Amino acid sequence: MGRSSDESPLRRITAESCLLGGAGYAVLLQIAHPSVAHGVYHHSDFENRPFARLFGTLAYVYGTVYGTDEERERLHAVVRAMHKKVNGPGYRALDDDLLLWVAATLCHGSARVYTLVFGGFRDDEEYALFLREASVFGTALGLPAAAWPGTPEAFDAYWEEAVTRLEVGDEARDITRRLFRPRQPVLRLLIPLQELLTAGLLPERLRDGFGLPWSPGRQRLFDWILAVTRIVYPRVPRPVRTLPATVCLWSMRRSGDPVRLSRRSGRPGPRGRVRRRATPPR
């Protein structure tokens, strides 16, 4: 992945906390694929354990990008074991097509939010390298490397074609309703902003399919938030901007479990301990 942020755009970009503003966008893109929606609807417990599910996702992303070789190996083994159990009519979590789509949403969502906040990548070569590096989100779980569209042209072509095949069904709408109407009081304070950002980032066809509210007033508010973020966020010291990634990695290493909460849900998790100092992503 490269020893420093200068060598690896994936390492430099992934820890930026502004990317969390696109979390709902990536999730809704994923469940707009009917097979992904079916798997989430029948196998996920996000409604009852939203923080555990969030931690698991962040641990996978941050651990994959910033973990040691040993940590990545343990992490990916846990996640593969969890996904092997997620099967049903017309759905298999480790299917190449679904692995590709979910990994592509993580890549695309990060690149889009980063571009909106920072104005884009340094040059075309950096974006191409970012795309090649981001393949790890799929290949770590078994996606063949040859299946990843590793050039900007190939990725853009895949993305445009894949988006046209998305179809928001009843399961996806029900997941969205529960996602944006959480039971936890703390989440209720944060959801209005996340719902606004998600609706603003989605294509109009998908936004309407999910039934997300939109209006000229909400568009102006969305544009204002982006304008303020572009001015303020890049001026925040990087250790502050990357604090969520630092805390997630610290928690993962302190517990010695790549997905700390997995065993509490009855899912497999390693039992050894890995003791490392918590260092911020570079």
Side-chain angles (χ1 to χ4, degrees):
M1 226 69 77
R3 295 185 179 181
S4 73
S5 59
D6 290 335
E7 296 172 350
S8 169
L10 188 68
R11 290 179 61 88
R12 178 169 59 84
I13 290 169
T14 299
E16 294 287 352
S17 58
C18 67
L19 302 188
L20 297 177
Y25 172 61
V27 169
L28 264 62
L29 284 172
Q30 291 169 18
I31 63 174
H33 191 302
S35 294
V36 176
H38 186 74
V40 173
Y41 188 82
H42 291 282
H43 294 274
S44 177
D45 57 353
F46 74 90
E47 185 176 11
N48 296 320
R49 305 172 63 250
F51 291 105
R53 295 299 95 223
L54 176 62
F55 182 92
T57 300
L58 294 180
Y60 175 72
V61 172
Y62 295 145
T64 295
V65 177
Y66 303 109
T68 64
D69 289 343
E70 179 186 359
E71 288 168 343
R72 287 197 295 269
E73 182 178 352
R74 289 157 57 85
L75 169 66
H76 298 157
V78 170
V79 177
R80 283 194 298 269
M82 292 166 62
H83 281 71
K84 282 181 180 178
K85 299 180 179 181
V86 182
N87 299 286
Y91 179 82
R92 188 174 68 88
L94 295 180
D95 179 80
D96 287 350
D97 177 61
L98 301 189
L99 288 176
L100 174 57
W101 175 240
V102 172
T105 63
L106 296 175
C107 173
H108 166 84
S110 296
R112 186 173 181 198
V113 173
Y114 179 82
T115 297
L116 287 172
V117 174
F118 286 93
F121 290 79
R122 293 171 179 171
D123 51 41
D124 292 342
E125 291 184 2
E126 183 183 60
Y127 176 56
L129 178 57
F130 173 82
L131 286 178
R132 292 196 297 273
E133 291 182 324
S135 66
V136 70
F137 294 128
T139 57
L141 300 183
L143 178 72
W148 180 257
T151 67
E153 297 77 15
F155 188 89
D156 290 348
Y158 163 76
W159 186 262
E160 291 178 9
E161 194 274 334
V163 169
T164 63
R165 292 188 284 110
L166 297 178
E167 183 178 349
V168 181
D170 292 339
E171 291 178 337
R173 279 187 288 270
D174 185 66
I175 294 167
T176 302
R177 177 187 59 79
R178 290 183 284 141
L179 184 67
F180 289 133
R181 298 297 180 269
R183 301 172 181 175
Q184 296 74 13
V186 174
L187 286 180
R188 290 178 197 159
L189 298 175
L190 303 175
I191 284 299
L193 176 60
Q194 185 62 239
E195 185 178 24
L196 176 72
L197 295 176
T198 300
L201 291 168
L202 282 171
E204 182 179 0
R205 178 178 73 86
L206 296 180
R207 182 172 64 218
D208 292 344
F210 282 112
L212 297 178
W214 201 246
S215 66
R218 292 177 71 84
Q219 180 69 60
R220 288 192 295 270
L221 180 58
F222 175 82
D223 294 339
W224 179 83
I225 290 173
L226 280 183
V228 172
T229 302
R230 290 189 192 106
I231 295 171
V232 176
Y233 181 85
R235 291 171 171 78
V236 176
R238 180 169 169 83
V240 178
R241 302 199 316 255
T242 60
L243 186 59
T246 301
V247 171
C248 183
L249 289 168
W250 173 83
S251 179
M252 182 180 73
R253 288 164 175 166
R254 181 174 179 270
S255 69
D257 191 332
V259 183
R260 179 169 53 90
L261 299 170
S262 62
R263 288 198 298 271
R264 297 183 186 176
S265 61
R267 291 179 177 139
R271 298 186 177 276
R273 295 187 65 83
V274 179
R275 296 188 180 275
R276 285 177 52 86
R277 292 176 58 194
T279 54
R282 293 182 295 168

